[in-house]
């Protein structure tokens, strides 16, 4: 990962490009360039060896014109306030592009979950919620899972918040396990939403997904479900996958189930029998039809963009492409399904979960899938229409769709 690139500066640059194309009023533009509120916390966690360690966490509420802020919590050793600010900005655009009544927010804790026991992780999760509890709430700011946070972590967080309030508050967080008010279909929602967008893109470009080859960088919540769904829904061939330790390639195609079992046993996709080792850099440059970055930000940059050969890039990760690389992708006619559109399925089903928590009535999985598909197809079409009308790349078009919606909400409120 190229760490010297500041993701928040990238998020601002992307907004500036769209603002220029749409001739956005200066006050609206200025308001949307910065987060509305930031909270930084330090909190103690008792470690297994008896020592107390102090952890640092953040919660950013970027813009709440469209509704309560919404967005995940990342546990990552390299977490910075700029990453969280960028991710909170992207959540704002993400909720707006699928037209759900939320603003954007994000949280993060600087920690390495791989070095922590389950008990330590539970105490860290509860400690973070105690530290930020007055800042969040089901009608204020609603967290969810993200990098290295899981449904179990959401369960601890919901329990801690409920204890502080003195009653059960399932709607304060989404991505919960099903018995605690989670929604059916939330588990694979990010990848599934991406598949609905991919289907539309392939239709538009005249690509037969049944014959398509796919490479996926990242085998976490987004990447592993993407491998499964692209195989099961379209019959495409996944030829390469990777995780933080490296990647594997097979010309014949990889069996998602075998990869998953191998990763469960060895904690990595690497070393699976019958596959060739490749690096996380090489996976991006393979000669495939569909490339799915599903790990971290800033992986497609001006350094490697010229070597990217895919016809479609489905960005399941947040912020995988820098603005400099974007220009070249557009010039090279690579069809990018930009992150906050491609991965909006997660927050869309989070919204469905929150709705179900609010009225205490739970949907069947089929209903979740159908409603998700409707949201994704509509968002994809809105973006494509904008791209064609203003002759801009898909990311700029997605910004224009979202910025219009947030700007309208701010104007109606009388802010700008
Ligand atoms: N962390 C996910 C994202 O980046 C999901 C957010 C949510 O469900 O609120 O979209």
């Amino acid at each position: 990962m190229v760490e010297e690139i500041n993701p928040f500066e990238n998020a601002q640059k992307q907004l500036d490009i769209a603002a220029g194309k749409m001739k956005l009023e200066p006050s609206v533009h200025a308001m949307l360039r910065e987060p509305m509120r930031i909270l930084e916390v330090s909190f103690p966690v008792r470690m297994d060896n008896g020592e107390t360690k102090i952890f640092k966490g953040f919660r950013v509420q970027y813009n709440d014109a469209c509704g309560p802020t919404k967005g995940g919590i990342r546990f990552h050793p390299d977490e910075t306030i700029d990453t969280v600010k960028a991710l909170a900005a992207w959540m704002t655009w993400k909720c707006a592009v699928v037209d759900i009544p939320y603003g954007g927010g994000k949280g993060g804790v600087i920690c390495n979950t791989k070095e922590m026991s389950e008990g330590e992780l539970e105490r860290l999760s509860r400690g973070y919620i105690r530290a930020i509890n007055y800042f969040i709430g089901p009608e204020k700011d609603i967290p969810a899972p993200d990098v290295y946070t899981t449904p179990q972590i959401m369960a601890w967080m919901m329990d801690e918040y409920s204890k502080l309030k003195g009653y059960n508050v399932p709607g304060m967080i989404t991505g919960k396990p099903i018995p605690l008010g989670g929604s059916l279909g939330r588990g694979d929602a990010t990848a599934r939403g991406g598949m609905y967008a991919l289907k539309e893109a392939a239709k538009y470009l005249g690509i037969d997904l049944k014959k398509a080859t796919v490479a996926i960088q990242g085998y976490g919540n987004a990447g592993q479900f993407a491998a499964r769904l692209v195989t099961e829904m379209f019959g495409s061939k996944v030829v390469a996958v990777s995780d933080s330790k490296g990647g594997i390639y097979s010309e014949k195609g990889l069996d998602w189930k075998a990869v998953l079992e191998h990763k469960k046993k060895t904690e990595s996709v690497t070393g699976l029998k019958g596959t060739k080792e490749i690096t996380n850099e090489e996976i991006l440059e393979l000669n495939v039809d569909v490339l799915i970055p599903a790990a971290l930000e800033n992986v497609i940059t001006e350094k490697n963009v010229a070597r990217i050969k895919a016809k479609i890039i489905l960005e399941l990760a947040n912020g995988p492409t820098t603005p400099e690389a974007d220009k070249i992708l557009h010039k090279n006619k690579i069809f990018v399904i930009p992150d906050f559109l491609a991965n909006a399925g997660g927050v869309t089903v989070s919204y469905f979960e929150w709705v179900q928590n609010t009225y205490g009535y739970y949907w069947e999985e089929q209903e979740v899938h159908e409603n998700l598909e409707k949201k994704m197809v509509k968002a994809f079409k809105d973006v494509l229409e904008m791209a064609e009308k203003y002759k801009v790349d898909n990311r700029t078009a997605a910004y224009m769709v979202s910025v219009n919606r947030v700007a309208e909400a701010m104007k109606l409120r009388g802010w700008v």
Side-chain angles (χ1 to χ4, degrees):
M1 310 294 143
V2 189
E3 281 307 333
E4 70 270 17
I5 302 170
N6 182 328
F8 186 56
E9 281 171 16
N10 283 350
Q12 287 183 317
K13 267 188 221 161
Q14 292 165 344
L15 173 69
D16 295 347
I17 295 168
K21 295 277 180 202
M22 62 200 289
K23 303 192 175 41
L24 197 62
E25 297 99 295
S27 60
V28 177
H29 186 187
M31 185 74 195
L32 295 178
R33 272 191 117 245
E34 296 292 338
M36 289 175 65
R37 284 178 292 277
I38 296 181
L39 178 68
E40 182 179 317
V41 293
S42 284
F43 58 99
V45 178
R46 183 88 63 210
M47 305 308 280
D48 289 348
N49 64 5
E51 274 171 29
T52 297
K53 235 175 117 175
I54 310 300
F55 287 87
K56 185 171 268 195
F58 312 99
R59 185 77 195 168
V60 175
Q61 296 171 354
Y62 198 83
N63 186 294
D64 62 7
C66 295
T69 44
K70 181 91 190 76
I73 298 166
R74 306 210 312 176
F75 284 176
H76 200 276
D78 301 328
E79 199 62 287
T80 66
I81 187 59
D82 283 318
T83 322
V84 183
K85 277 161 69 175
L87 289 159
W90 290 325
M91 282 310 304
T92 310
W93 317 130
K94 193 180 302 191
C95 294
V97 84
V98 280
D99 212 4
I100 56 178
Y102 287 141
K106 202 83 179 195
V109 178
I110 306 170
C111 64
N112 188 348
T113 56
K114 289 177 185 163
E115 288 170 358
M116 296 173 76
S117 70
E118 204 186 358
E120 289 171 341
L121 204 53
E122 175 174 353
R123 294 192 291 279
L124 176 92
S125 306
R126 290 182 186 277
Y128 176 63
I129 289 300
R130 279 198 302 278
I132 67 164
N133 86 84
Y134 66 88
F135 201 60
I136 57 170
E139 277 147 356
K140 202 166 163 185
D141 180 10
I142 307 133
D146 200 277
V147 172
Y148 295 132
T149 51
T150 60
Q152 175 61 73
I153 292 175
M154 300 304 111
W156 291 324
M157 291 181 166
M158 193 276 272
D159 183 67
E160 192 63 27
Y161 187 86
S162 298
K163 275 183 186 154
L164 289 165
K165 295 288 158 195
Y167 52 90
N168 216 21
V169 194
M172 61 75 55
I173 205 161
T174 58
K176 299 178 292 293
I178 306 295
L180 295 183
S183 176
L184 294 171
R186 177 63 183 86
D188 68 6
T190 304
R192 186 176 292 274
M195 293 303 127
Y196 294 140
L198 177 61
K199 190 163 109 187
E200 293 303 308
K203 229 195 289 171
Y204 172 74
L205 299 169
I207 292 175
D208 181 3
L209 285 175
K210 215 175 172 163
K211 295 193 194 116
T213 51
V214 183
I216 305 174
Q217 185 192 52
Y219 220 65
N221 182 50
Q224 56 180 256
F225 283 118
R228 175 177 182 168
L229 291 174
V230 82
T231 315
E232 288 184 350
M233 288 169 70
F234 311 128
S236 313
K237 187 160 79 175
V238 178
V239 292
V241 300
S242 72
D243 59 27
S244 62
K245 302 205 173 87
I248 51 175
Y249 174 85
S250 163
E251 207 188 323
K252 291 201 304 277
L254 298 161
D255 170 9
W256 67 266
K257 225 189 251 166
V259 178
L260 196 60
E261 273 160 25
H262 179 76
K263 185 169 167 76
K264 272 192 190 141
K265 253 189 260 150
T266 65
E267 282 179 14
S268 176
V269 298
T270 56
L272 179 68
K273 233 174 70 200
T275 66
K276 211 176 101 199
E277 304 277 305
I278 55 168
T279 66
N280 259 307
E281 288 74 42
E282 285 165 342
I283 196 165
L284 299 168
E285 299 169 16
L286 290 173
N287 193 4
V288 288
D289 298 302
V290 183
L291 172 65
I292 309 185
L296 293 176
E297 57 278 0
N298 295 335
V299 293
I300 301 176
T301 68
E302 53 193 334
K303 290 198 187 116
N304 63 359
V305 64
R307 295 191 294 275
I308 289 185
K309 301 171 193 76
K311 298 189 181 85
I312 301 177
I313 302 181
L314 176 71
E315 296 183 339
L316 289 186
N318 287 311
T321 308
T322 65
E324 293 72 27
D326 254 333
K327 279 190 213 144
I328 318 266
L329 289 176
H330 188 55
K331 206 179 88 211
N332 291 352
K333 296 198 167 51
I334 294 176
F335 192 91
V336 177
I337 309 177
D339 53 359
F340 67 78
L341 169 64
N343 68 30
V347 75
T348 301
V349 178
S350 274
Y351 165 57
F352 299 157
E353 179 176 333
W354 178 82
V355 167
Q356 294 170 74
N357 294 153
T358 305
Y359 66 53
Y361 175 76
Y362 288 82
W363 308 359
E364 283 176 17
E365 191 160 21
Q366 196 53 30
E367 196 172 348
V368 173
H369 290 170
E370 283 166 14
N371 282 302
L372 172 61
E373 181 163 16
K374 267 190 227 153
K375 281 282 186 202
M376 292 304 303
V377 171
K378 170 80 170 57
F380 183 89
K381 290 193 169 151
D382 288 347
V383 169
L384 202 62
E385 201 184 301
M386 189 66 94
E388 285 177 343
K389 189 165 165 199
Y390 288 89
K391 310 235 166 331
V392 292
D393 61 85
N394 292 343
R395 187 176 327 273
T396 305
Y399 264 91
M400 290 166 78
V401 168
S402 296
V403 166
N404 269 337
R405 289 181 182 154
V406 180
E408 193 188 359
M410 294 202 300
K411 280 183 197 153
L412 288 167
R413 283 176 185 269
W415 291 359
V416 283

